[in-house]
Amino acid sequence: TADPNVVNNNDTNYVYIDKTATPLNKLCLFFPGSGGKPAEYHLFLLTAAKMGYHTIGLSYNNNKTVGALCNGQPSDCQGLLRAEVLYGKDYSPVVSVDSSESIRTRTVALLKYLNKNYPADNWGQFLNGDSIIWSKVFVTGHSQGAGMASIIAYWYNVYRGVFLACGGDWDTTTHNVADWMGMPSVTPASKKYSFTHREDELFWGSKLN
């Protein structure tokens, strides 16, 4: 409905705003994990709305895991893959996402739709023309979605970043973090938080006692 050009991974976006909460005038933008849908995270989204965030659970191209797609590929694979999913430009040979299917286009189209149809809710405050005002965005997600939120926080100075069950990418070829995690982060560490569980089978560290 927000953008008829989106035909792949077009599960329903979930949008919340709590009229009884004091508005923070910040956008919580959440990305589901691999194969996940926004509906599966509705309680997290509802909690953010009750805190005063304008809240979006976004559907995006997440049907295959980054680990599977980049297995055996060069150590820049993860960053290029995520860049293509975010921007819709031909950065990566392991995915094919055009501009209309990208996270950026989906988010801008949805914000414009919401601002047009619910003008009193002021969804337009998070846009400058066709650009997202990242400094007003709390990026967050689970697993693959947390990696998307994390790389956005590396590239843009976001309001806050929260990463659930992930915080980046692991390169199985070099047995180290992916290349993009060696870049300086535009968002300072003091504004970023990551949560995992010691029994998570994807936990990178040594087994905890």
Side-chain angles (χ1 to χ4, degrees):
T1 302
D3 187 353
N5 292 316
V6 175
V7 295
N8 298 304
N9 297 89
N10 59 350
D11 296 302
T12 302
N13 299 307
Y14 268 55
V15 178
Y16 289 95
I17 186 168
D18 188 337
K19 300 293 183 65
T20 67
T22 301
L24 298 174
N25 296 312
K26 299 291 189 297
L27 172 65
C28 172
L29 182 60
F30 181 91
F31 307 111
S34 299
K37 303 175 182 181
E40 297 165 348
Y41 301 90
H42 69 279
L43 292 178
F44 182 96
L45 304 173
L46 183 61
T47 300
K50 287 182 177 180
M51 294 172 66
Y53 288 101
H54 288 60
T55 303
I56 290 174
L58 192 76
S59 175
Y60 71 106
N61 297 75
N62 67 334
N63 52 326
K64 294 185 179 180
T65 69
V66 174
L69 290 167
C70 287
N71 186 33
Q73 297 293 321
S75 56
D76 62 354
C77 176
Q78 296 88 349
L80 294 176
L81 182 160
R82 292 191 184 279
E84 183 157 337
V85 173
L86 177 60
Y87 297 117
K89 295 182 179 180
D90 189 17
Y91 292 117
S92 170
V94 300
V95 291
S96 180
V97 180
D98 64 29
S99 60
S100 63
E101 299 273 356
S102 69
I103 281 175
R104 181 170 63 180
T105 299
R106 289 168 185 253
T107 304
V108 170
L110 181 55
L111 286 170
K112 286 184 174 182
Y113 172 85
L114 292 169
N115 197 51
K116 178 181 178 180
N117 289 278
Y118 306 94
D121 294 340
N122 196 20
W123 291 93
Q125 67 179 300
F126 308 116
L127 289 175
N128 181 11
D130 288 332
S131 297
I132 300 166
I133 303 175
W134 289 108
S135 61
K136 299 190 73 171
V137 181
F138 158 30
V139 289
T140 182
H142 170 243
S143 193
Q144 181 177 168
M148 287 307 311
S150 182
I151 204 167
I152 289 170
Y154 264 78
W155 291 340
Y156 298 95
N157 187 14
V158 299
Y159 169 67
R160 183 166 294 156
V162 172
F163 321 122
L164 309 175
C166 185
D169 285 311
W170 181 258
D171 178 26
T172 57
T173 302
T174 63
H175 300 287
N176 206 338
V177 295
D179 281 2
W180 67 265
M181 296 184 69
M183 301 183 302
S185 175
V186 177
T187 301
S190 60
K191 295 166 65 176
K192 299 196 290 185
Y193 305 84
S194 185
F195 298 88
T196 189
H197 192 284
R198 66 168 63 198
E199 299 299 330
D200 189 331
E201 65 272 18
L202 298 180
F203 180 61
W204 295 347
S206 301
K207 184 172 177 61
L208 299 177
N209 295 321

